[in-house]
Amino acid sequence: MNILLIGSGGREHALAWKIAGSPLVTKLWCTPGNAGIAQEAECVPLDVTDHAAVIAFCKTNAVDLVVVGPEVPLAAGIVDDLAAAGIKAFGPSKAAAQLEGSKGFTKDLCRANNIPTAAYERFNDPAAAKAYIRAQGAPIVIKADGLAAGKGVVVAMTLDEALAAIDMMFEGGFGGAGAQVVVEEFMQGEEASFFALCDGEHALALATAQDHKRVFDGDKGPNTGGMGAYSPAPVMTDEMCRRTMDEIIHPTLRAMAAKGMPFRGVLFAGLMITAQGPKLIEYNVRFGDPECQVLMLRMMSDIVPALLAAIDGQLKNFDLRWFPDPALTVVMAAKGYPGDYAKGTRIDGLDEAAKVEGVEIFHAGTASKDGHIVANGGRVLNVTASGKTVAEAQRRAYEAVDRIKWLDGFCRRDIGWQAVKREKATR
Ligand code: AMP
Ligand code: GLY
């Protein structure tokens, strides 16, 4: 098969690595790709917003399958246009991608279908939002309605913070994404990332993960796209996974099918595991980044037949096998991220780092320049390792991190702390 992968992050490097390992693949392209993906695939500079150009590339090169990594092309309807041109594409339609593209859409769907989530109201106007916040009190959570790269959320611990967040969003702090705001109940519990492969009707649960959204050790500082992750998430016991499928994933698939927007692709539920059980924080319509990196390391089965089964509505009798060993990934980011950072700084030592047992290094924002790897984004490398325990995977990942020479980079030093603490307690 000829496959085209769309994206340029660590998630796409992990997908490229896994797809390239499939005996079904003859040729793999990636657009735009990065310096790491270039080791697995031929990177081509297509304009992904120009769907006709992507279709023309697929026709010229006899592409059998397009795999879409990020949410932006999905929300722009690339899968609809590829399908209309007779090209198989993995990912949801534009209509189904609203589960991520509009928080209000998802909240309304939850309310109509009794899917457990935080109580909420939607607002177009700051005065009404503030009146509601004063009536509810703090802590309270304020969210921009549209896509904001995982950064459009303020968890306000005080009333003043909440009111300031309303002003910031309506004044355009998140651009167009903040023209509508969702105000919701603060939920207490442990977070987990839950992934289900969906074919419009059936869902297959994938491995679970936990990520670290805050930029600094101890889960401090501003939210980022994710600074590290590990799989499995110990809080997701078999019982919690079963409840998540029964109470959240299946009702969502039924509701989307009933609306005439069947969901095909990866449904990624951000969960809060509360005293009452799993509650939905938000949906994403793609693999998590960096969660995908640990999932790909743990997936034993070939991924390509699974992607095809999701597109073809054949997941009912499908299964995937996973390595039992946990995996952990540490994100190395450019100094300044998630704020301003420099590009073009040189990175050395990657080959030495990759020699550590159990380690795979996935590139995110990297480029090749004069025979060197240079930083080309905020999140730059994902140093990923498996081990018999999370503690062992963590030790291996940081041993590799310490071999990487990049003066302008930083990472958290405590990725996996919750799981390691649990392992110590049960030993
Ligand atoms: P989101 O972009 O919706 O995933 O939110 C980003 C982060 O904000 C989540 O990972 C949670 O840590 C936090 N968060 C979002 N909604 C809530 C909520 N209702 N209660 C508590 N924390 C929340
Ligand atoms: N790591 C969270 C996300 O991909 O949105």
Side-chain angles (χ1 to χ4, degrees), residues 89-158:
F90 178 78
S93 66
K94 179 176 180 165
Q98 287 180 86
L99 283 174
E100 174 164 2
S102 167
K103 292 191 192 289
F105 174 89
T106 298
K107 296 300 288 193
D108 290 351
L109 184 121
C110 288
R111 185 177 276 169
N113 294 279
N114 286 321
I115 295 168
T117 186
Y120 74 102
E121 287 301 332
R122 299 169 73 167
F123 298 96
N124 294 308
D125 140 71
K130 286 182 182 177
Y132 178 77
I133 288 171
R134 288 202 181 89
Q136 297 295 317
I140 193 157
V141 180
I142 327 288
K143 301 185 173 183
D145 185 71
L147 290 178
K151 292 158 204 152
V153 174
V154 175
V155 179
M157 299 315 286
T158 66

Side-chain angles (χ1 to χ4, degrees), residues 90 197-200 263-265 305-315:
F90 178 78
L197 193 63
C198 303
D199 70 1
F263 187 91
R264 295 188 193 87
L307 303 177
L308 292 171
I311 297 170
D312 294 339
Q314 296 296 326
L315 281 179

Side-chain angles (χ1 to χ4, degrees), residues 11 71 100 149-150 193 195 210-213 224-229 268 282 284 286-292 379:
R11 165 182 52 212
E71 63 276 19
E100 174 164 2
S193 301
F195 301 89
Q210 253 164 342
D211 84 345
H212 295 66
K213 289 203 165 70
T224 69
M227 293 301 292
F268 164 7
E282 63 157 3
N284 298 302
R286 48 167 176 88
F287 280 109
D289 187 346
E291 290 95 327
C292 184
R379 293 190 294 172

